[in-house]
Amino acid sequence: MSVRVLALVGSLRAGSHNRQLAEAAVKHAPEGVEVVIHEGLADVPFYNEDIDVEGSVPAAATALREAAAQADAFLFFSPEYNGTVTAVLKNAIDWLSRPYGAGALSGKPTAVVGTAYGQFGGLWAQDEARKSLGIAGANVLADAKLSVPGSVVRFAELHPQDDAEIVEQLPAVLAQLAEATAVSA
């Protein structure tokens, strides 16, 4: 049985190091784990209950929810903007948390990792994302973490998929998600 992990990247920038980290997750996923990067977060409008009604849900939000429904687990890649989670990632969490108590995140194993320019690798943003995800109903794995500091320098000439620390630690996070999925099945 394969575990399907939906990867959501909180940076829309071309050449984003967090996007590259997600690509590394795809490449180095352990056997039995499939990582799928969701495309289209830039097209999801800000969450608004007025448009979250049958027949009015925007196509991009519907596509996000459908991808999430097909996932066994989630891996969020969070950069840090002004000391907190990015708007695009928070918006995805908001859409996936509805309907309240029965959203696509509900009970599914979830981890948050990421990289940022600062010395803590986006740790504040990742903690904020974990908090929001937990409130949204996800089964946030507290010990499944990876914060990579100094992204601009560290990945200037090296793709994260070729970084020894990433190649070792990212598959370990994915293995934790797979294990949690098996336990909750």
Side-chain angles (χ1 to χ4, degrees), residues 136-171:
N139 173 17
V140 179
L141 305 184
D143 295 334
K145 297 180 179 181
L146 176 60
S147 300
V148 185
S151 61
V152 172
V153 174
R154 184 170 183 164
F155 301 127
E157 296 179 16
L158 179 72
H159 192 288
Q161 70 188 10
D162 300 320
D163 181 288
E165 181 184 2
I166 303 301
V167 171
E168 177 186 332
Q169 293 184 15
L170 198 50

Side-chain angles (χ1 to χ4, degrees), residues 107-120:
K108 289 189 180 176
T110 303
V112 180
V113 299
T115 186
Y117 177 70
Q119 64 181 336
F120 301 112

Side-chain angles (χ1 to χ4, degrees), residues 47-114:
Y47 184 79
N48 178 343
E49 272 188 67
D50 292 341
I51 61 173
D52 191 11
V53 292
E54 193 171 333
S56 296
V57 178
T62 298
L64 173 62
R65 285 178 170 165
E66 288 173 352
Q70 294 172 10
D72 300 306
F74 297 96
L75 184 55
F76 285 76
F77 292 84
S78 181
E80 186 169 276
Y81 291 3
N82 298 314
T84 193
V85 66
T86 64
V88 69
L89 210 53
K90 178 62 172 74
N91 189 49
I93 294 168
D94 291 344
W95 276 102
L96 294 174
S97 71
R98 301 286 191 258
Y100 182 75
L105 293 167
S106 191
K108 289 189 180 176
T110 303
V112 180
V113 299

